Amino acid sequence: MNETGRSRVQRPLTRLNDTVIMKTLLVLRRQVSARVLIFCIAFGVAARAASYGAPASGAPVVIEAGPDWVPLRAELDIEPGSALDFSGMGLTEAPAGKHGRVIARADGQFAFEDSPDKARRFYGVNLCFGAHYVSRGEADRLAERLVRLGYNAVRFHHYERDLSRGQSESTTFNPETLEQLDYLTAALIRRGIYLTTDLYVSRSVPWREAGIDRDGHIPMNTFKALVPVHDGAFASWQKFARALLGHMNPHTKRRYADEPALAWLAMINEGNLGNFFGDIRAFPEWTRAWNRWLAKRYAGRQALAAAWATELKAEEDPLRQSVGLPERLQAEGLRARDAIAFLADTERDMVRRMKTFLRDELGCRALVSNASSWTRFTTDQAARAIYDYVDDHFYVDHPRFLKGSWRLPSRCPNTSPLADGAPGGRSITFTRLFDKPFTLTEYNYSGPGRFRGVGGILTGALGALQGWGGIWRFAYSHNREAMFAPARMGYFDMASDPLSQAADRASVCLFLRGDLQTAPHSVALVMTDADLGRPAARIPTLAPAWHWLAWVTRVGTRVIPSPPRALPHTALVPLAWQTPAAAYPASQVLGVDPYRVDDDALLAALRRHSLVPADAPPDPARKCFRSETGEVTIDGARDRLVLDTPRTAGGYAPAGQTLEASRGGVRVGVMGSDATVWVSALEAKPIRASRRLLVTHLTDLQNTAILYAEPARQTLRDWGRLPHLVRAGKADIRIRLDHPARYGVWALSPGGRRLAQVPATLDADAVRFTADVAGDREGGARMLYEVAAK
């Protein structure tokens, strides 16, 4: 396989005189004899890997510089005016907030208050923990860099710990860190960057601060579970929100509540109540709330007994607060069904209460959302219907920790998302309500997975095709240091992962700049208030099995009071729990059960509505999908992605395959190593007419001496160190141009500096050159190229 090719220092650990063994000695950081080390490698590694949940097959792998891995000279700042400087593309309008508040349109798009007819999109990154707390000079440097990277939005995340550092209460702010946050906020706003945050993420709240007589601090998820039902926890949430939003930023002369650039507020990060059902079952406040809900829903114990039958125990009575919650939300029976509906109603009531507090007491008009990850049931859409916008998160290759949270070893699948039909993000397309803007404030194809290069591009393509309103990559950095000095790659951070940072530029072009068209048609899973108020005997998870359709056309949900004469969608799939399909316009109804239909029946219904391209129908069995616009093709059978727009074209393919993007005029032959390769015009023109192009060739990037338990590189044992290493590989790239004789090709540094001119063949209608990671080993690995008119 490619990962264990000819490089001597990357082959399995089997011989004493291998460099690999010497590196393993360093990784293990202990003094052992060679004989003991051989014994550990031969007999212990497989056993320990198995005990960590890893497969025992194959020997450990350490990656070092050699024929197959080329060191990269990392750069963090972007050269002004270079091909990597996106600040001139018009993606930001400084200062942020100059057009008034960001508003939510009824067609599911964002707009500015002073220009409601023009839809606006946002693409950005998360800052976490210490990354918020930098000097003034560093804040300006960071803000300038983010604009040059093409971002127009930032999410402040996990910011509360340092904000209240050293204070007696978690709702009181440290003057030094508050000043740093204020200045960073102002620096971003001055450059046209919009902001979002959560009013609770991970603030460490003492039990007694919430009115509970107990030593220590409330665990993060426990606090999230308490806020809806515990007065002290809710008051703590309010007190923090009041302190933050009521604070006057001396650098903007505005309260955060009045700051138009603080456009979006999530109430509680990843606060979906189903995530914390163990905590919910443990607190008497939840049991009392559950029984009050049952007493309101059913006219006495007799009515409850008639509905639940033998599920209701003899000693249970809601009026006596004695009816227990189910052991599991996914259990069979009406107790579990009602518990799911109860959580949705509780979420809705909590957010209504929070919105009233923000609007009426604090005078804050930022858009509000909540419930952004993990557990998603169909009835949760009743709560989302009162949000201003809908938000969600997803991850591919998120680490699973085998011995302890956030400790090595960790595991991830590390398999091609394309071979599986690019499922990342597909299911959350149904979290979206068509009449509200949709954001993705966290996503990542996490390190050290080797498909990070294609992952970022897939998400930008999916967001553009679906017409989402905003996307935030998780994360830019978790600390200050990695933003201003090169650092080894980790699970999430772009600042220390040049490959993921390079991939993000394609998403900026496809999504934020709008290179990839939004699908013109849509299929809506539609539900009425009656459906959600009186659900079926079993409430399913929200996303139906056919979320593969998200790669073909727009999909989502819509909650309505009752069926109107027509809805602005090509086709409707009624939930039909209470409101029958016959109540909807017959010409729009697909006539299938959303949670029981198989792929063949759905495809037949889609053909009747002309929603299946005749020349390239979707093939879920082979995991092959082409968008109705023809600009995105997922070919799972061949493990390929083709992007074909006039301004950005290319894709991903295994070594030995060729990508053809006829609209963009790009052909790529992938050689030596699987790769993601694309061309983007850097002017407001098609590729063939643009005087300046950015060409990106991404193979794989790892840390020096990174250690895996097996050749499949699924179990990470040690992160290794700098420098970053890039997998050697080549790509034969042909770009159709109107006047190719005028162009030259240059290899670029990670910061955009021209390193050297690259030999190119100038045909009558195209320029052709070879991108080669190892084209100049002394100068460092090459991933980026500029094609420009001389």
Side-chain angles (χ1 to χ4, degrees):
M1 60 193 302
N2 287 340
E3 289 75 11
T4 55
R6 296 171 300 165
S7 177
R8 177 181 63 84
V9 291
Q10 195 199 347
R11 67 189 179 204
L13 305 179
T14 54
R15 291 171 46 195
L16 179 60
N17 62 351
D18 270 351
T19 304
V20 165
I21 290 182
M22 299 306 296
K23 295 300 179 181
T24 303
L25 276 167
L26 295 175
V27 168
L28 295 175
R29 292 180 175 87
R30 58 192 179 205
Q31 298 297 319
V32 296
S33 69
R35 191 178 301 276
V36 171
L37 179 60
I38 293 171
F39 178 83
C40 289
I41 292 170
F43 299 102
V45 168
R48 289 193 64 188
S51 71
Y52 295 157
S57 60
V61 168
V62 174
I63 295 177
E64 289 283 0
D68 295 330
W69 292 93
V70 184
L72 176 74
R73 295 183 178 180
E75 295 176 2
L76 292 167
D77 291 311
I78 304 303
E79 184 81 7
S82 71
L84 296 185
D85 182 359
F86 280 20
S87 61
M89 287 187 177
L91 304 175
T92 55
E93 294 183 56
K98 67 184 289 185
H99 297 291
R101 281 282 181 187
V102 175
I103 62 173
R105 301 195 321 195
D107 65 349
Q109 299 298 315
F110 290 122
F112 290 139
E113 212 167 18
D114 71 351
S115 49
D117 294 335
K118 183 177 180 180
R120 307 279 183 162
R121 284 182 182 170
F122 302 87
Y123 193 90
V125 287
N126 284 251
L127 298 179
C128 297
F129 296 109
H132 302 92
Y133 302 104
V134 297
S135 70
R136 290 189 178 188
E138 289 169 338
D140 286 322
R141 179 180 169 188
L142 174 62
E144 190 66 31
R145 183 194 302 166
L146 294 177
V147 171
R148 289 179 182 165
L149 287 168
Y151 300 125
N152 68 348
V154 162
R155 182 179 183 229
F156 288 167
H157 195 50
H158 288 294
Y159 62 98
E160 316 113 291
R161 181 194 67 184
D162 291 322
L163 188 57
S164 59
R165 183 198 309 150
Q167 306 306 296
S168 58
E169 293 187 357
S170 69
T171 55
T172 302
F173 302 150
N174 179 300
E176 179 183 354
T177 54
L178 179 60
E179 158 60 22
Q180 289 175 318
L181 188 67
D182 284 342
Y183 189 86
L184 175 63
T185 297
L188 294 167
I189 291 171
R190 281 198 301 272
R191 291 163 176 83
I193 293 178
Y194 285 79
L195 306 172
T196 181
T197 194
D198 308 80
L199 293 176
Y200 179 81
V201 187
S202 55
R203 174 169 56 98
S204 184
V205 182
W207 287 99
R208 289 190 176 88
E209 193 174 299
I212 300 171
D213 189 16
R214 183 170 167 181
D215 293 336
H217 292 75
I218 306 174
M220 178 183 70
N221 287 340
T222 300
F223 185 83
K224 295 177 184 181
L226 282 173
V227 170
V229 297
H230 189 280
D231 290 343
F234 190 85
S236 176
W237 179 90
Q238 285 181 306
K239 190 173 181 180
F240 180 88
R242 188 182 294 113
L244 178 68
L245 298 175
H247 170 68
M248 177 76 70
N249 186 333
H251 304 289
T252 62
K253 310 299 186 203
R254 291 184 292 272
R255 297 185 313 151
Y256 280 96
D258 302 322
E259 178 54 67
L262 181 57
W264 312 271
L265 289 172
M267 302 297 93
I268 296 174
N269 175 57
E270 296 184 343
N272 305 37
L273 295 175
N275 298 347
F276 322 116
F277 196 59
D279 281 313
I280 285 171
R281 293 184 75 248
F283 282 94
E285 290 85 358
W286 273 103
T287 301
R288 289 194 289 270
W290 162 240
N291 279 270
R292 287 194 300 270
W293 185 87
L294 289 172
K296 183 178 179 180
R297 191 174 186 86
Y298 295 95
R301 187 188 186 283
Q302 185 175 357
L304 180 60
W308 284 16
T310 57
E311 282 193 68
L312 187 66
K313 299 175 183 177
E315 68 276 12
E316 291 185 316
D317 184 343
L319 295 180
R320 296 178 180 175
Q321 302 281 299
S322 58
V323 181
L325 286 155
E327 293 186 5
R328 298 183 306 109
L329 287 176
Q330 291 79 12
E332 298 288 342
L334 298 186
R335 186 187 299 262
R337 180 208 60 183
D338 281 356
I340 293 170
F342 157 65
L343 294 182
D345 286 353
T346 304
E347 162 73 12
R348 182 180 58 207
D349 293 345
M350 178 190 73
V351 174
R352 277 179 175 154
R353 188 179 175 193
M354 290 171 164
K355 285 182 72 173
T356 298
F357 166 72
L358 294 174
R359 299 283 193 266
D360 296 351
E361 181 175 330
L362 301 185
C364 180
R365 295 195 294 124
L367 300 176
V368 166
S369 189
N370 204 45
S372 55
S373 195
W374 311 355
T375 310
R376 309 172 187 92
F377 291 103
T378 303
T379 45
D380 294 343
Q381 297 305 83
R384 291 189 175 95
I386 71 160
Y387 302 170
D388 298 321
Y389 67 102
V390 176
D391 183 43
D392 215 334
H393 302 162
F394 84 86
Y395 289 84
V396 173
D397 279 339
H398 192 288
R400 180 170 63 87
F401 299 99
L402 306 179
K403 296 186 70 176
S405 295
W406 302 106
R407 293 174 52 201
L408 294 178
S410 66
R411 274 182 63 78
C412 72
N414 203 11
T415 56
S416 171
L418 293 168
D420 198 29
R426 287 188 341 206
S427 63
I428 67 166
T429 57
F430 284 91
T431 312
R432 177 248 203 107
L433 290 166
F434 271 116
D435 59 345
K436 297 181 184 296
F438 182 79
T439 63
L440 174 65
T441 53
E442 284 186 37
Y443 90 91
N444 211 329
Y445 284 70
S446 307
R450 67 186 186 93
F451 297 96
R452 307 188 310 283
V454 71
I457 298 170
L458 285 170
T459 305
L462 183 64
L465 185 67
Q466 291 298 317
W468 292 346
I471 299 175
W472 282 258
R473 189 73 172 258
F474 185 89
Y476 187 70
S477 183
H478 277 67
N479 61 75
R480 170 198 164 276
E481 293 75 16
M483 296 192 298
F484 302 107
R488 66 184 185 182
M489 172 195 62
Y491 293 120
F492 305 117
D493 290 354
M494 310 283 283
S496 52
D497 185 357
L499 183 138
S500 290
Q501 185 67 81
D504 228 29
R505 292 183 175 277
S507 285
V508 168
C509 292
L510 294 168
F511 176 78
L512 185 57
R513 192 170 72 172
D515 290 5
L516 196 145
Q517 301 174 71
T518 296
H521 301 105
S522 61
V523 176
L525 172 54
V526 62
M527 52 200 76
T528 63
D529 293 339
D531 290 327
L532 299 177
R534 294 291 173 182
R538 183 176 178 86
I539 298 174
T541 53
L542 176 58
W546 41 276
H547 51 70
W548 52 261
L549 191 60
W551 281 117
V552 179
T553 191
R554 284 184 295 139
V555 297
T557 56
R558 185 177 284 268
V559 178
I560 55 176
S562 59
R565 292 182 179 179
L567 285 167
H569 301 290
T570 313
L572 306 176
V573 183
L575 187 58
W577 286 345
Q578 298 296 329
T579 305
Y584 296 87
S587 61
Q588 289 185 285
V589 175
L590 281 185
V592 298
D593 184 314
Y595 294 108
R596 295 182 179 179
V597 64
D598 61 29
D599 289 338
D600 289 340
L602 180 65
L603 284 167
L606 292 170
R607 288 189 187 96
R608 291 195 294 271
H609 284 76
S610 301
L611 278 169
V612 174
D615 58 337
D619 188 342
R622 298 179 67 246
K623 298 179 172 56
C624 295
F625 313 107
R626 194 186 76 176
S627 68
E628 62 172 311
T629 62
E631 294 181 331
V632 184
T633 301
I634 308 293
D635 186 348
R638 299 179 66 188
D639 194 16
R640 288 160 43 104
L641 164 71
V642 178
L643 294 171
D644 194 5
T645 85
R647 296 178 72 187
T648 293
Y652 168 90
Q657 292 194 28
T658 298
L659 298 168
E660 292 275 0
S662 58
R663 296 182 191 185
V666 173
R667 187 182 70 198
V668 177
V670 180
M671 302 178 290
S673 179
D674 309 348
T676 308
V677 186
W678 74 93
V679 180
S680 284
L682 298 179
E683 298 179 319
K685 299 176 182 178
I687 289 171
R688 66 178 303 148
S690 179
R691 293 170 300 172
R692 204 176 193 192
L693 307 169
L694 175 63
V695 181
T696 307
H697 172 223
L698 302 181
T699 53
D700 186 12
L701 180 146
Q702 299 287 310
N703 298 325
T704 296
I706 195 168
L707 171 64
Y708 294 94
E710 69 284 292
R713 289 169 42 190
Q714 295 175 323
T715 308
L716 176 65
R717 299 285 298 278
D718 192 283
W719 277 110
R721 64 179 187 277
L722 289 175
H724 301 115
L725 302 176
V726 182
R727 176 73 184 187
K730 298 180 180 181
D732 177 38
I733 301 171
R734 186 179 189 275
I735 306 168
R736 192 166 65 246
L737 296 169
D738 287 343
H739 304 286
R742 301 175 183 175
Y743 288 77
V745 180
W746 289 266
L748 302 178
S749 73
R753 293 181 300 107
R754 287 183 176 181
L755 298 174
Q757 190 159 3
V758 176
T761 301
L762 306 178
D763 298 333
D765 65 344
V767 60
R768 182 174 180 176
F769 72 99
T770 298
D772 184 357
V773 171
D776 179 10
R777 287 183 176 271
E778 291 299 319
R782 294 176 172 180
M783 300 190 298
L784 303 161
Y785 300 85
E786 178 183 359
V787 177
K790 298 177 183 178

